[in-house]
Amino acid sequence: MTETLLLALVVVTALAFDFTNGFHDTGNAMATSIATRALKPKTAVLLSAVLNLVGAFLSLAVAATIAKGIVDAGVVTLPVVLAGLVGGIVWNLITWLFGIPSSSSHALVGGMVGAVLAAVGTSGVLWTGVVSKVLVPALVAPLVAIAVAGAGTWLVARLTRGVPQEVSNRGFRWGQIGSASLVSLAHGTNDAQKSMGIILLALIAGGAVPADSGVPFWVILSCALAMAAGTYLGGWRVIRTLGKGLVEIDTRQGMAAETSSAAVILLSSHFGFSLSTTHVATGSVLGSGVGMPGAKVRWGVASRMFVAWLITLPAAGLVGALCHWMESAIGGAAGTIAVFVVLIASSAAIWLASRRKPVDHTNVNEAWDEEKGATVEAVAATTGEAGGERVAPVPAAATASSVGAAIESVGTVSVPAQGSVQS
């Protein structure tokens, strides 16, 4: 009975991670289409949700990588899986709170690796798989995306010289809808599978399926639905940073960026790489700015994002390790339940902090002011009120001092006052 309860908690937590992955990564597909107004915000997230759902059924290569290519399934227990998932979820929520496009994939891998290290030491981690399937793609993918998007944008700019802007915008908006749809489909083929892999790992650890089992259909369906639901919720804070914070994008750049992202993500899914779609999408947006003559790239915003990328694996790993130590200290099912309660409390605290200055479909396209995103004090001194956003420290158990301090140094997201409405 206890084992069944623990397995149920792990499955629910894995689906919760899929949900956070959905709204955290919606911007990867739809931020540029929303920024250029090729699609209305609510229409964009609905379209992305449907295509994420479809994409989840198209490939299972990444699920196999997560389940059997990162950690030794033979030493993994249900408490270890739960601790790793909590590490991934908490990091997802913290970076979402600050509007930082961070990798859900690396948060999950970091959480799992940290929990396994705390449980059995370095022998439980398949370091070859971590390096070849996670770290190498993490370094290469953004660079490839920047190069591909930069070349594509430059070519499009050359071909459309002399074409009236209103004519160009009309044609490329339709192109953006198609390319953004392709990114959403590609995202489903890659990211939805990560929770499938984790649930399969839990089922193996709990003895529900044999070690050589494939992913059951009910796991595929539930993960696809959780991802789609999170996508429809819309990660507006991250969408705003990707769509407005890095580059002022026009429809030509948007189409080039989205097409580049889709190509790189689909290629990685084919080879089973646990790729960060966030890294690819961000690289493509930066490439669209590099390749467009006269475009301004906000490298200050990009550098803060890069810092967050560097600390994602160790930060999520630290949370996963601390959660496993808590489980061990309390002992038995009580320790696992305690970690689950901490996850709920932390998530609630982060959500309440986000309500202080909400970002949604009504203000996601407000003009970006980098100075407003710097500090609340600077804005208050000139306007008399906090036009930017500052978020109180997150009381998330083990993350409040270590992880919270790291994120505070990365920066905050600019949220202008809600004056104009984008329907």
Side-chain angles (χ1 to χ4, degrees):
M1 182 66 179
T2 301
E3 193 76 7
T4 302
L5 174 62
L6 294 182
L7 181 57
L9 285 179
V10 170
V11 171
V12 169
T13 307
L15 294 176
F17 173 83
D18 227 5
F19 183 81
T20 64
N21 190 350
F23 72 73
H24 197 287
D25 289 3
T26 308
N28 298 346
M30 292 298 173
T32 58
S33 294
I34 292 172
T36 62
R37 293 173 168 80
L39 287 168
K40 293 182 178 181
K42 296 294 286 184
T43 302
V45 296
L46 176 60
L47 177 61
S48 185
V50 172
L51 292 170
N52 264 316
L53 178 65
V54 174
F57 290 91
L58 298 183
S59 171
L60 293 177
V62 175
T65 295
I66 292 294
K68 303 171 184 177
I70 303 299
V71 295
D72 183 359
V75 302
V76 172
T77 62
L78 291 176
V80 168
V81 176
L82 180 65
L85 285 168
V86 172
I89 291 173
V90 169
W91 186 256
N92 265 356
L93 292 177
I94 291 176
T95 50
W96 163 78
L97 178 65
F98 286 88
I100 299 172
S102 165
S103 171
S104 298
S105 310
H106 293 173
L108 177 60
V109 171
M112 288 301 303
V113 169
V116 169
L117 286 174
V120 299
T122 58
S123 62
V125 180
L126 305 179
W127 295 107
T128 301
V130 172
V131 172
S132 64
K133 297 288 188 178
V134 180
L135 295 182
V136 171
L139 295 173
V140 173
L143 299 177
V144 172
I146 290 173
V148 173
T153 302
W154 179 85
L155 180 61
V156 168
R158 294 276 296 180
L159 293 175
T160 57
R161 283 187 305 178
V163 178
Q165 186 172 1
E166 60 274 14
V167 175
S168 173
N169 285 343
R170 190 181 308 117
F172 279 101
R173 276 175 181 160
W174 284 106
Q176 266 200 282
I177 294 173
S179 57
S181 298
L182 189 58
V183 175
S184 292
L185 192 69
H187 183 268
T189 68
N190 196 285
D191 277 41
Q193 296 180 56
K194 290 157 189 171
S195 290
M196 296 180 201
I198 289 297
I199 293 178
L200 177 59
L201 194 62
L203 293 174
I204 294 172
V209 298
D212 59 351
S213 174
V215 182
F217 177 78
W218 69 266
V219 174
I220 299 172
L221 178 61
S222 58
C223 287
L225 291 172
M227 174 74 75
T231 302
Y232 181 68
L233 181 67
W236 303 111
R237 309 171 91 82
V238 178
I239 289 174
R240 174 166 173 73
T241 301
L242 271 177
K244 306 298 289 188
L246 290 172
V247 182
E248 288 298 328
I249 292 176
D250 66 18
T251 55
R252 296 172 297 174
Q253 293 167 273
M255 181 177 170
E258 289 159 357
T259 304
S260 303
S261 295
V264 175
I265 294 168
L266 287 171
L267 189 63
S268 72
S269 294
H270 175 73
F271 288 106
F273 292 135
S274 180
L275 188 70
S276 167
T277 55
T278 300
H279 289 189
V280 174
T282 304
S284 296
V285 172
L286 288 173
S288 74
V290 171
M292 178 61 71
K296 176 187 176 183
V297 178
R298 297 187 181 95
W299 292 108
V301 176
S303 65
R304 293 193 291 272
M305 290 166 48
F306 293 153
V307 171
W309 292 0
L310 290 175
I311 63 176
T312 292
L313 279 168
L318 176 61
V319 177
L322 290 174
C323 287
H324 187 267
W325 287 329
M326 178 187 294
E327 290 171 328
S328 300
I330 297 175
T336 304
I337 293 173
V339 168
F340 189 74
V341 171
V342 167
L343 171 63
I344 294 174
S346 301
S347 302
I350 294 170
W351 183 82
L352 289 173
S354 74
R355 296 303 86 199
R356 297 186 177 187
K357 205 71 174 178
V359 183
D360 55 30
H361 66 283
T362 66
N363 65 347
V364 69
N365 263 348
E366 292 281 357
W368 183 274
D369 187 338
E370 193 168 358
E371 291 184 1
K372 284 187 177 182
T375 61
V376 170
E377 291 78 12
V379 176
T382 57
T383 66
E385 61 181 359
E389 177 180 356
R390 177 175 178 144
V391 182
V394 180
T399 68
S401 58
S402 56
V403 178
I407 282 293
E408 190 70 38
S409 69
V410 173
T412 60
V413 63
S414 168
V415 184
Q418 300 182 26
S420 61
V421 174
Q422 168 72 17
S423 60

